[in-house]
Amino acid sequence: VADKFTPETQVEFTKQVYGPVYADLSGPPKYIFKGKHQSTDQEGAKKAFQAGKKMDAFAATMTKYNKADALLTKVITEPENDAVAFGEGFHTDVTFKRDPPYAAVLIARQLPRVGLGNTKFLDMRVAYETLPAKVKEQISNMYGNHTDKDV
């Protein structure tokens, strides 16, 4: 099925199910075109830095396969070029936006062997609901500030 689901049909499907698709949310992040990468704290990145790999190489594949104004981000990893996979490590996409996206649609074109590269999802509402009452009370007046200002 994924081979029939082109980037164009993916955008149309998303518009029909969820509403408008905005390039600033679903397109490639602007920082990759500045030679930056969000995964520099991951193990693969640390090893690459120790081996002398330069920062601009981390975004090379992403800039090779994406245009700055694209509606969708193509996440492609070339093992011979990429020290880390784009999006490596646990993360939440663009939740720092004032109006974060309602949903994300992910289509795998090539899948790793079973047990490798598993995508995991967490429901933070359930995580909060299962906290002990004492912890909920301790954090009841706390706020977080999630930002992308450093990238």
Side-chain angles (χ1 to χ4, degrees):
V1 173
D3 60 328
K4 293 178 176 45
F5 209 40
T6 67
E8 294 77 22
T9 58
Q10 183 177 355
V11 169
E12 287 309 310
F13 169 80
T14 304
K15 286 179 180 177
Q16 289 176 19
V17 175
Y18 300 109
V21 175
Y22 302 105
D24 66 323
L25 294 178
S26 60
K30 303 299 179 231
Y31 60 80
I32 66 166
F33 298 100
K34 297 176 186 173
K36 294 185 177 186
H37 197 288
Q38 90 284 17
S39 294
T40 55
D41 64 336
Q42 300 298 321
E43 270 318 297
K46 290 176 184 175
K47 289 177 185 173
F49 283 140
Q50 289 171 351
K53 192 138 183 140
K54 301 292 181 217
M55 187 65 218
D56 59 353
F58 281 75
T61 303
M62 285 296 291
T63 55
K64 177 179 173 182
Y65 290 102
N66 286 282
K67 293 188 169 104
D69 60 348
L71 273 178
L72 296 177
T73 304
K74 294 177 185 171
V75 179
I76 297 170
T77 302
E78 294 178 339
E80 65 279 3
N81 296 328
D82 297 325
V84 294
F86 187 81
E88 179 181 335
F90 186 79
H91 70 280
T92 304
D93 290 330
V94 295
T95 55
F96 53 82
K97 298 284 187 180
R98 180 177 297 277
D99 295 311
Y102 174 76
V105 178
L106 175 67
I107 298 175
R109 304 285 180 196
Q110 291 180 326
L111 297 171
R113 291 188 318 271
V114 173
L116 301 174
N118 294 328
T119 297
K120 297 179 174 108
F121 298 91
L122 295 176
D123 185 332
M124 297 312 291
R125 290 175 297 177
V126 172
Y128 177 79
E129 289 168 5
T130 59
L131 287 173
K134 185 175 181 174
V135 173
K136 287 181 184 177
E137 183 180 329
Q138 289 173 326
I139 65 173
S140 66
N141 292 318
M142 294 182 174
Y143 294 90
N145 182 18
H146 185 185
T147 180
D148 70 336
K149 294 208 184 309
D150 291 340
V151 286

